Amino acid sequence: MLTIDALPYAYEFPLGRTALIVIDMQRDFLEPGGFGAALGNDVRRLAPSIAPTRALLDAFRARGLPIIHTQEAHRPDLSDCPPSKLERGRGSLTIGDVGPMGRILVSGEPGAAIIPELAPLPGEIVIEKPGKGAFHATPLRERLTELGVTHLLFAGVTTEVCVQTTMREANDRGYECLLVEDATDSYFPEFKAATLAMIRAQGGIVGWTASSAAVLAALPPLP
């Protein structure tokens, strides 16, 4: 077992059974003209998480470790989008509307794509999800079972919505979860801070948190 210097205490993980999950690092959330901006958010607040996430991707790729990317995206007819989800937000654009990067959060549209800096490589798993959590109505659990994964490291956006939801889903399914603090961001910094505190409260009720530097330091050196 390897050990990461984490909160609320050290996180132990078996290298061969650990995967990196990168949540929704999509143009619609991180770039001007996307869904995040249409809701009135300052998308620049998500930018700091890009470099740490790329460092994690590079490290996992170099060691041949499992990587899973998720994308929040819907069918073109929106048949997989709950009406309640369509009705909320009430920004200048909503899911399915045509924006500067194509139809908002629709599969195959430019805005639904993962940003170029973090684009998946061939062979990396990409899970399209209709909900906020990546386990709902997706094959994520089956893919993790096929890989023999028991431990999950999380990066992505936004901290308090899709990242936290997926982490809580994973926790309920028995996975040991760690959120990489600087590889996640929110449009609301206070929401990120609260989420990190909630995750590691009460002895790690949902899991652990640690910096990307601590994660990288815990990985074995390359040959």
Side-chain angles (χ1 to χ4, degrees):
M1 297 286 277
L2 301 174
T3 302
I4 296 173
D5 183 12
L7 292 172
Y9 50 88
Y11 175 82
E12 296 184 345
F13 67 105
L15 189 66
R17 300 177 70 85
T18 300
L20 173 66
I21 298 190
V22 181
I23 303 287
D24 298 1
M25 294 295 270
Q26 297 164 242
R27 298 182 66 201
D28 263 330
F29 297 128
L30 284 101
E31 294 184 5
F35 190 41
L39 291 173
N41 298 305
D42 182 357
V43 297
R44 294 173 298 179
R45 290 183 172 176
L46 304 188
S49 61
I50 296 173
T53 300
R54 178 56 191 261
L56 293 170
L57 284 171
D58 289 344
F60 269 63
R61 287 166 175 166
R63 291 164 178 80
L65 300 174
I67 295 168
I68 298 170
H69 305 260
T70 75
Q71 292 171 275
E72 185 174 350
H74 297 281
R75 299 170 187 156
D77 64 2
L78 304 184
S79 60
D80 60 348
C81 187
S84 59
K85 187 176 180 182
L86 285 172
E87 293 166 2
R88 294 179 191 169
R90 301 190 180 185
S92 59
L93 295 170
T94 192
I95 296 169
D97 288 347
V98 177
M101 293 186 287
R103 296 182 66 202
I104 297 287
L105 291 185
V106 168
S107 179
E109 296 286 337
I114 293 169
I115 61 172
E117 301 96 313
L118 306 177
L121 295 183
E124 293 177 354
I125 298 170
V126 180
I127 300 286
E128 287 195 349
K129 60 185 185 67
K132 296 173 176 62
F135 285 86
H136 168 65
T138 77
L140 177 56
R141 188 169 191 180
E142 289 77 9
R143 299 305 302 270
L144 293 174
T145 299
E146 292 168 3
L147 293 168
V149 167
T150 56
H151 290 61
L152 300 172
L153 304 187
F154 285 90
V157 299
T158 61
T159 312
E160 77 280 6
V161 184
C162 294
V163 176
Q164 180 179 207
T165 301
T166 303
M167 193 169 178
R168 288 178 179 272
E169 289 179 329
N171 178 68
D172 283 347
R173 288 160 174 79
Y175 295 96
E176 299 286 8
C177 304
L178 180 144
L179 177 55
V180 186
E181 297 163 0
D182 52 331
T184 183
D185 270 315
S186 170
Y187 301 120
F188 308 96
E190 65 273 23
F191 291 178
K192 174 181 173 177
T195 301
L196 295 177
M198 285 189 288
I199 284 170
R200 60 195 181 216
Q202 301 180 71
I205 193 167
V206 177
W208 289 257
T209 74
S211 68
S212 60
V215 173
L216 297 174
L219 296 175
L222 294 170

